Tab-separated table of all heavy atoms in Angstrom:
chain	number	residue	atom	x	y	z
H	826	LYS	N	29.257	-9.907	17.418
H	826	LYS	CA	28.947	-9.469	18.837
H	826	LYS	C	28.551	-10.624	19.788
H	826	LYS	O	29.018	-10.669	20.906
H	826	LYS	CB	27.890	-8.403	18.895
H	826	LYS	CG	28.457	-7.095	18.534
H	826	LYS	CD	27.356	-5.968	18.638
H	826	LYS	CE	27.975	-4.637	18.347
H	826	LYS	NZ	26.845	-3.608	18.131
H	827	ASP	N	27.536	-11.447	19.277
H	827	ASP	CA	27.136	-12.511	20.057
H	827	ASP	C	28.320	-13.391	20.478
H	827	ASP	O	28.471	-13.776	21.647
H	827	ASP	CB	26.193	-13.381	19.330
H	827	ASP	CG	24.863	-12.633	18.904
H	827	ASP	OD1	24.651	-11.563	19.615
H	827	ASP	OD2	24.161	-13.096	18.069
H	828	HIS	N	29.064	-13.662	19.433
H	828	HIS	CA	30.205	-14.466	19.561
H	828	HIS	C	31.140	-13.966	20.737
H	828	HIS	O	31.551	-14.687	21.499
H	828	HIS	CB	31.022	-14.485	18.202
H	828	HIS	CG	32.097	-15.486	18.210
H	828	HIS	ND1	31.949	-16.770	18.048
H	828	HIS	CD2	33.418	-15.250	18.206
H	828	HIS	CE1	33.051	-17.400	17.996
H	828	HIS	NE2	34.011	-16.486	18.133
H	829	LYS	N	31.294	-12.671	20.595
H	829	LYS	CA	32.218	-12.056	21.580
H	829	LYS	C	31.794	-12.189	22.988
H	829	LYS	O	32.467	-12.523	23.908
H	829	LYS	CB	32.345	-10.583	21.241
H	829	LYS	CG	33.482	-9.819	21.887
H	829	LYS	CD	33.582	-8.438	21.384
H	829	LYS	CE	34.292	-7.583	22.406
H	829	LYS	NZ	34.176	-6.143	21.999
H	830	SER	N	30.421	-12.054	23.129
H	830	SER	CA	29.992	-12.071	24.517
H	830	SER	C	29.917	-13.391	25.121
H	830	SER	O	30.334	-13.676	26.274
H	830	SER	CB	28.458	-11.531	24.588
H	830	SER	OG	27.683	-12.231	23.666
H	831	ASP	N	29.598	-14.486	24.243
H	831	ASP	CA	29.533	-15.867	24.860
H	831	ASP	C	30.929	-16.463	25.012
H	831	ASP	O	31.083	-17.527	25.657
H	831	ASP	CB	28.488	-16.778	24.212
H	831	ASP	CG	28.731	-17.013	22.779
H	831	ASP	OD1	29.977	-17.215	22.432
H	831	ASP	OD2	27.853	-17.019	22.021
H	832	LYS	N	31.812	-15.862	24.280
H	832	LYS	CA	33.200	-16.477	24.442
H	832	LYS	C	34.241	-15.477	25.127
H	832	LYS	O	35.420	-15.556	24.805
H	832	LYS	CB	33.784	-16.951	23.128
H	832	LYS	CG	32.848	-17.946	22.476
H	832	LYS	CD	33.623	-18.965	21.637
H	832	LYS	CE	32.738	-20.099	21.191
H	832	LYS	NZ	33.435	-20.991	20.312
H	833	SER	N	33.682	-14.628	25.921
H	833	SER	CA	34.530	-13.520	26.462
H	833	SER	C	35.731	-14.042	27.206
H	833	SER	O	36.669	-13.400	27.324
H	833	SER	CB	33.640	-12.575	27.294
H	833	SER	OG	32.916	-13.238	28.248
H	834	ASN	N	35.497	-15.301	27.819
H	834	ASN	CA	36.705	-15.783	28.569
H	834	ASN	C	37.873	-16.058	27.650
H	834	ASN	O	39.049	-15.998	28.191
H	834	ASN	CB	36.303	-17.045	29.343
H	834	ASN	CG	35.668	-18.017	28.366
H	834	ASN	OD1	35.052	-17.716	27.324
H	834	ASN	ND2	35.660	-19.350	28.745
H	835	LYS	N	37.618	-16.243	26.349
H	835	LYS	CA	38.773	-16.484	25.558
H	835	LYS	C	39.246	-15.281	24.824
H	835	LYS	O	39.991	-15.279	23.879
H	835	LYS	CB	38.353	-17.536	24.406
H	835	LYS	CG	38.173	-18.840	24.883
H	835	LYS	CD	37.853	-19.833	23.838
H	835	LYS	CE	37.381	-21.149	24.320
H	835	LYS	NZ	36.756	-21.892	23.153
H	836	LEU	N	38.802	-14.155	25.240
H	836	LEU	CA	39.011	-12.888	24.594
H	836	LEU	C	40.432	-12.604	24.310
H	836	LEU	O	40.956	-12.084	23.265
H	836	LEU	CB	38.330	-11.796	25.276
H	836	LEU	CG	38.065	-10.512	24.454
H	836	LEU	CD1	37.048	-10.799	23.393
H	836	LEU	CD2	37.495	-9.350	25.396
H	837	VAL	N	41.202	-12.961	25.281
H	837	VAL	CA	42.631	-12.615	25.265
H	837	VAL	C	43.300	-13.352	24.032
H	837	VAL	O	44.094	-12.716	23.304
H	837	VAL	CB	43.397	-13.063	26.506
H	837	VAL	CG1	44.803	-12.586	26.490
H	837	VAL	CG2	42.638	-12.728	27.688
H	838	VAL	N	42.941	-14.477	23.850
H	838	VAL	CA	43.480	-15.268	22.730
H	838	VAL	C	43.263	-14.586	21.373
H	838	VAL	O	44.093	-14.574	20.456
H	838	VAL	CB	42.938	-16.788	22.652
H	838	VAL	CG1	43.627	-17.582	21.641
H	838	VAL	CG2	42.968	-17.378	24.030
H	839	LYS	N	42.019	-14.066	21.152
H	839	LYS	CA	41.586	-13.678	19.924
H	839	LYS	C	41.697	-12.153	19.837
H	839	LYS	O	41.138	-11.540	18.882
H	839	LYS	CB	40.154	-14.117	19.692
H	839	LYS	CG	40.115	-15.660	19.361
H	839	LYS	CD	38.662	-16.004	19.155
H	839	LYS	CE	37.934	-15.774	20.488
H	839	LYS	NZ	36.509	-16.075	20.285
H	840	LYS	N	42.285	-11.578	20.704
H	840	LYS	CA	42.273	-10.109	20.705
H	840	LYS	C	42.725	-9.562	19.351
H	840	LYS	O	42.179	-8.513	18.934
H	840	LYS	CB	43.190	-9.710	21.837
H	840	LYS	CG	42.890	-8.170	22.306
H	840	LYS	CD	43.675	-7.647	23.374
H	840	LYS	CE	43.352	-6.215	23.611
H	840	LYS	NZ	44.181	-5.643	24.616
H	841	ASN	N	43.663	-10.131	18.875
H	841	ASN	CA	44.194	-9.735	17.521
H	841	ASN	C	43.034	-9.556	16.545
H	841	ASN	O	42.849	-8.504	15.995
H	841	ASN	CB	45.127	-10.881	17.082
H	841	ASN	CG	45.783	-10.486	15.744
H	841	ASN	OD1	45.716	-9.332	15.378
H	841	ASN	ND2	46.502	-11.444	15.236
H	842	THR	N	42.256	-10.604	16.314
H	842	THR	CA	41.232	-10.556	15.245
H	842	THR	C	40.083	-9.473	15.646
H	842	THR	O	39.665	-8.759	14.925
H	842	THR	CB	40.468	-11.832	15.057
H	842	THR	OG1	40.667	-12.588	16.275
H	842	THR	CG2	41.209	-12.604	13.786
Side-chain angles (χ1 to χ4, degrees):
Chain H
K826 275 186 179 164
D827 297 342
H828 187 74
K829 194 175 157 189
S830 57
D831 62 39
K832 301 215 170 170
S833 51
N834 51 335
K835 290 186 193 164
L836 199 64
V837 189
V838 187
K839 288 178 294 177
K840 201 173 176 188
N841 185 13
T842 28

